[in-house]
């Protein structure tokens, strides 16, 4: 693994540990559902890093923008990116 991949993997691993610890605390099952879903996304991103598929769209196989992957390493497809962009607006300033 190169340095950037190692750093990303380490960040994902730390997030995995935090999410697992959070699930050990008793709380509403509605909240746990979201935490469990995020944990699955983190673990899938880690697997994709391990097998060399990280950074490719799960639907088309195209490369995802590196700047997006740095911000949201659990993004799965260009469709997800398009949905994110509907909420993101650049400042007019």
């Amino acid at each position: 693994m190169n340095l950037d991949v190692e750093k990303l993997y380490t960040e994902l691993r730390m997030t995995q540990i935090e999410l697992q610890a959070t699930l050990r605390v008793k709380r509403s099952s509605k909240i746990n559902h979201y935490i469990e879903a995020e944990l699955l996304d983190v673990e899938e991103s880690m697997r994709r890093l391990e097998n060399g598929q990280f950074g490719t769209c799960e639907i088309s196989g195209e490369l995802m923008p590196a700047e997006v992957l740095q911000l949201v390493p659990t993004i799965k497809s260009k469709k997800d990116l398009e949905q994110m962009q509907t909420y993101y607006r650049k400042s007019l300033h």
Side-chain angles (χ1 to χ4, degrees):
M1 282 190 205
N2 69 35
L3 185 60
D4 291 336
V5 173
E6 287 179 25
K7 181 180 175 185
L8 180 57
Y9 191 88
T10 299
E11 289 178 22
L12 286 167
R13 178 70 179 123
M14 295 303 295
T15 301
Q16 178 189 36
I17 291 167
E18 290 172 10
L19 291 169
Q20 289 170 338
T22 302
L23 285 171
R24 288 188 205 106
V25 176
K26 298 283 186 196
R27 68 174 45 80
S28 164
S29 63
K30 290 180 184 180
I31 294 171
N32 280 351
H33 171 75
Y34 294 105
I35 296 168
E36 290 167 354
E38 184 65 21
L39 179 59
L40 289 174
D41 287 345
V42 166
E43 291 172 342
E44 177 61 25
S45 293
M46 290 171 66
R47 277 190 292 280
R48 291 175 64 83
L49 271 168
E50 291 166 356
N51 67 25
Q53 293 180 329
F54 181 79
T56 58
C57 173
E58 291 182 353
I59 298 170
S60 68
E62 295 178 63
L63 290 176
M64 301 284 286
E67 61 274 4
V68 172
L69 291 168
Q70 288 176 338
L71 295 173
V72 187
T74 56
I75 195 163
K76 296 179 180 185
S77 68
K78 291 207 172 197
K79 181 179 178 183
D80 293 341
L81 176 58
E82 290 169 5
Q83 290 176 337
M84 270 181 28
Q85 289 174 333
T86 62
Y87 296 102
Y88 173 73
R89 300 287 185 257
K90 290 188 177 185
S91 171
L92 296 175
H93 304 282

